[in-house]
Amino acid sequence: EVTLVESGGGLVQPGGSLRISCVASGFSFSSNWMHWVRQAPGKGLVWVSRISSDGSRTTYADSVTGRFTISRDNAKNTLYLQMNSLRDEDTAVYYCARVEALELNSWGQGTLVTVSS
Amino acid sequence: QLVLTQSPSASASLGASVKLTCTLSSGHSNYAIAWHQQQPDKGPRYLMTLSSDGSHTKGDGIPDRFSGSSSGAERYLTISSLQSEDEADYYCQTWVPGIRGVFGGGTRLSVL
C-alpha cells in the first residue's frame, strides 16, 4: 500500500523558516517525481513545487520561487520542503503527492503550517 | 493563460446522479485533466484522468459510479447512485507542460 506521511508543520513567525518532510512507503520512491500542494484554510488546492525522481530538476510556483526549496533523500524515502522568509499567506496545509503515469495519484494527509506573530 | 473554471457548489439527492463541470480556458481545449476528491478533513484522493476525447482512466479502487466525459473545452465528472460519502470537494487539475500544475477552484458537492 502506498503511504505518504507529512510532518514538521507548526507555528512560525513571519520571516521565519521551517522544513517539512514527507516519508514515503509502499512503492519505489526513487522512481517517482514528487510534488508539494498546499491548501489555505477554507480555500482550494494550489500547486507549489515538484522534483524529479533523481532530484536534479525542480520547479516552483511563482509565489514561492526564491523562498522555498524542494529536495529529496532517496536513501531515506523522504521528500522535503524548506520554507524561508515565510509570510502570512503561506499559512496552509501542505500535502505531498506522488506522480505516476503523469498524474498525482497518491496523496498524504497533510501537515499544517501556520505563519503568525 | 491556462485556467480551470469550476462552479463553487452543486447538490443532488441521495441515490441520484450529478454531473460536475470543469472548463478549460481558451486555447487549451485539447488538454487532459485529472479529477480529485477531497472529503471533509482529509487529504485529496485521485479519481481519474480524463482526455479531450472523453476516454478516462480511473485510480485504484474508484467505484464504477464515477465516470468522466468531455465536450470541447469542458470536462465532466458524473457520479451516479449518490451516497453520503460522496459529499466532498471535487477539484480538476492539469499541467502547464514542463512547468507547473494548475487546479480549478473546486466544487463542493452536497448530498441531500
Side-chain angles (χ1 to χ4, degrees):
Chain A
E1 180 189 6
V2 173
T3 303
L4 299 170
V5 179
E6 301 93 336
S7 63
L11 176 63
V12 60
Q13 291 188 337
S17 297
L18 196 66
R19 189 179 79 161
I20 58 176
S21 303
C22 168
V23 175
S25 61
F27 66 100
S28 180
F29 179 72
S30 61
S31 298
N32 292 86
W33 285 64
M34 297 294 294
H35 293 239
W36 287 102
V37 175
R38 68 184 181 184
Q39 185 172 37
K43 302 296 184 182
L45 300 173
V46 176
W47 180 85
V48 173
S49 182
R50 68 173 186 171
I51 187 167
S52 61
S53 56
D54 65 358
S56 63
R57 287 167 285 173
T58 59
T59 314
Y60 301 91
D62 290 345
S63 59
V64 306
T65 295
R67 300 188 300 122
F68 288 14
T69 301
I70 189 172
S71 63
R72 63 193 296 162
D73 185 336
N74 285 345
K76 295 182 178 180
N77 287 352
T78 303
L79 175 72
Y80 302 101
L81 188 67
Q82 175 69 44
M83 301 180 289
N84 299 330
S85 303
L86 282 161
R87 306 167 180 167
D88 291 349
E89 55 265 34
D90 295 318
T91 293
V93 175
Y94 285 74
Y95 297 100
C96 66
R98 175 185 79 147
V99 169
E100 186 177 48
L102 304 178
E103 296 301 348
L104 300 169
N105 77 341
S106 301
W107 296 76
Q109 87 293 342
T111 188
L112 176 63
V113 173
T114 303
V115 184
S116 175
S117 54
Chain B
Q1 184 182 1
L2 178 54
V3 175
L4 300 175
T5 301
Q6 298 181 253
S7 297
S9 64
S11 63
S13 300
L14 199 65
S17 294
V18 67
K19 191 174 187 179
L20 307 182
T21 303
C22 173
T23 303
L24 288 148
S25 52
S26 179
H28 302 97
S29 62
N30 63 328
Y31 278 48
I33 65 129
W35 284 103
H36 303 275
Q37 176 195 60
Q38 187 177 32
Q39 294 172 321
D41 299 318
K42 290 190 175 182
R45 176 192 185 193
Y46 168 72
L47 295 177
M48 69 179 69
T49 299
L50 176 58
S51 299
S52 58
D53 64 0
S55 60
H56 55 279
T57 304
K58 290 196 285 189
D60 293 342
I62 303 304
D64 291 342
R65 305 187 293 106
F66 291 82
S67 63
S69 59
S70 296
S71 177
E74 303 204 317
R75 307 286 180 266
Y76 306 107
L77 173 68
T78 299
I79 311 171
S80 58
S81 302
L82 274 168
Q83 301 180 5
S84 57
E85 59 262 34
D86 298 330
E87 187 159 283
D89 295 327
Y90 292 85
Y91 293 91
C92 57
Q93 173 260 317
T94 191
W95 303 103
V96 177
I99 300 176
R100 60 182 174 88
V102 177
F103 286 89
T107 297
R108 176 154 294 178
L109 174 63
S110 297
V111 179
L112 307 174

